[in-house]
Amino acid sequence: MKNLLTMTDLTKDDIMKIITKAQDIKENGAETFGKGMTVANLFFENSTRTKCSFEMAERKLGLEVIPFEISTSSVQKGESLYDTCKTLESIGVDALVIRHSENAYYDTLQGLNIPVLNGGDGSGHHPTQSLLDIMTIYEEYGYFEGLKILISGDIKNSRVARSNADALTKLGAEVMFSAPEQWKCNFSDVPYVEIDDVIEEVDVCMLLRVQNERHDSGTTFSKEDYHNAYGLTIDRYNKLHDNAIVMHPAPVNRGVEIDTSLVESSKSRIFKQMENGVFIRMACIHDVLNHKEEKVKCHL
């Protein structure tokens, strides 16, 4: 693939190709790139998991990681995203990983001739998070057709919900949303349900972080009220069937989206998701850089 921007761009076969590649890397390691190939990570929003996971993936692939800090760059002088990216392309960077607060920021980067991997755009898309979630589910079940997957929480502001709803539905899963009325958003045909009506039958219970920074006037819930109404309480956890798993893209607001004691419970796959994130990002970087190299060879 030339870029990785949204899950909508990927077919079912594309998704499974990446998952298979990531599993192979997890089991057998990956072929590294030659000396001198470089990647720059441009994170205009705070990040721990995605940024560190991409950097770990890049280093495991033998890539040089160009230091880039927004706070000390010409962005502070008013430089546009396009000009920043074009500058990095011009000095020889081979690929860019970008997280930005603006939805679909990548639409402004059509003039670039190097790959872009989307590390999250506003409340739009987060393809590598979706892919690592899919990999984690696939490791657990080995299939998607007919799986019942509940995504509960701040749907309106969640790029994870958008990416996963699209991809998991495409793969044949039955996806459901649960959310407070003010955090619902009809960006897909996924139905809204009450968490207590379906908790006993779901195969995957995926909690979403309450994104207070994206709320115009803050949350209307106390932590306790939200947890009791929409979070994974101990009582709801105990109603999950024996083979069900619990997921969360993190960072986790403990005691809000999920009871603190359940974060590392036997059904939780939260830290497994983080582990799989490195392998997924290695697979994605491998794909876009190999596509770039093949294109250059064909041109020559």
Side-chain angles (χ1 to χ4, degrees):
M1 58 187 170
K2 181 181 177 182
N3 300 295
L4 178 61
L5 304 178
T6 75
M7 292 302 289
T8 308
D9 297 333
L10 301 180
T11 66
K12 180 178 177 179
D13 288 344
D14 291 333
I15 294 170
M16 291 312 301
K17 178 183 175 183
I18 296 169
I19 300 303
T20 301
K21 177 69 173 178
Q23 288 182 313
D24 181 61
I25 291 172
K26 186 174 183 177
E27 294 172 10
N28 303 307
E31 180 182 353
T32 58
F33 288 94
K35 187 176 181 180
M37 293 201 74
T38 59
V39 178
N41 301 317
L42 284 64
F43 277 68
F44 291 79
E45 287 187 325
N46 294 337
S47 174
T48 299
R49 273 147 297 278
T50 303
K51 186 177 182 181
C52 293
S53 180
F54 262 114
E55 185 163 340
M56 180 64 77
E58 292 151 5
R59 294 187 184 280
K60 283 180 176 289
L61 290 172
L63 297 165
E64 296 289 337
V65 182
I66 299 298
F68 186 88
E69 294 297 332
I70 304 302
S71 62
T72 56
S73 75
S74 290
V75 171
Q76 302 303 318
K77 300 177 181 180
E79 184 174 66
S80 69
L81 176 61
Y82 177 81
D83 286 343
T84 297
C85 295
K86 199 66 180 176
T87 297
L88 291 167
E89 176 192 311
S90 299
I91 66 173
V93 171
D94 293 290
L96 301 171
V97 177
I98 304 174
R99 169 173 287 189
H100 203 282
S101 59
E102 182 180 336
N103 284 19
Y105 67 80
Y106 38 79
D107 287 345
T108 68
L109 305 180
Q110 298 302 314
L112 292 186
N113 296 305
I114 57 173
V116 173
L117 295 100
N118 182 11
D121 61 293
S123 58
H125 297 272
H126 198 346
T128 57
Q129 178 68 48
S130 180
L131 287 164
L132 71 87
D133 290 344
I134 290 168
M135 179 180 177
T136 303
I137 294 168
Y138 192 66
E139 283 185 334
E140 199 72 30
Y141 289 101
Y143 63 92
F144 299 98
E145 195 72 37
L147 285 180
K148 294 185 177 183
I149 299 177
L150 174 67
I151 303 177
S152 180
D154 192 354
I155 303 294
K156 180 179 180 180
N157 296 293
S158 176
R159 51 196 171 210
V160 176
R162 282 171 170 77
S163 292
N164 274 333
D166 181 79
L168 289 166
T169 300
K170 194 179 299 181
L171 292 166
E174 180 185 340
V175 182
M176 300 168 279
F177 286 156
S178 179
E181 194 63 37
Q182 59 267 51
W183 294 344
K184 291 180 179 179
C185 186
N186 296 317
F187 53 76
S188 75
D189 294 329
V190 172
Y192 280 88
V193 298
E194 294 297 326
I195 188 170
D196 290 316
D197 291 342
V198 299
I199 195 68
E200 295 180 15
E201 61 188 69
V202 299
D203 301 297
V204 178
C205 181
M206 184 181 296
L207 294 315
L208 300 174
R209 181 176 68 87
V210 175
Q211 299 191 40
N212 291 312
E213 73 277 13
R214 299 193 195 278
H215 299 156
D216 293 335
S217 55
T219 179
T220 56
F221 299 93
S222 70
K223 293 180 179 180
E224 183 178 1
D225 286 346
Y226 179 87
H227 181 66
N228 290 334
Y230 299 99
L232 188 63
T233 61
I234 292 174
D235 180 61
R236 290 189 179 110
Y237 179 86
N238 289 334
K239 291 178 180 178
L240 291 167
H241 70 68
D242 291 345
N243 296 320
I245 60 173
V246 174
M247 302 175 71
H248 192 303
V252 178
N253 292 311
R254 291 171 178 254
V256 181
E257 300 106 21
I258 180 172
D259 188 271
T260 297
S261 67
L262 302 178
V263 174
E264 295 185 72
S265 61
S266 61
K267 289 184 171 68
S268 173
R269 299 295 181 270
I270 295 172
F271 289 98
K272 177 63 69 174
Q273 291 171 261
M274 298 178 200
E275 176 189 350
N276 285 339
V278 175
F279 305 116
I280 280 292
R281 287 164 179 134
M282 289 175 74
C284 292
I285 293 166
H286 230 284
D287 199 320
V288 298
L289 285 181
N290 281 332
H291 180 276
K292 177 177 182 284
E293 286 193 321
E294 288 170 7
K295 184 177 180 181
V296 170
K297 289 176 183 176
C298 290
H299 178 71
L300 294 175

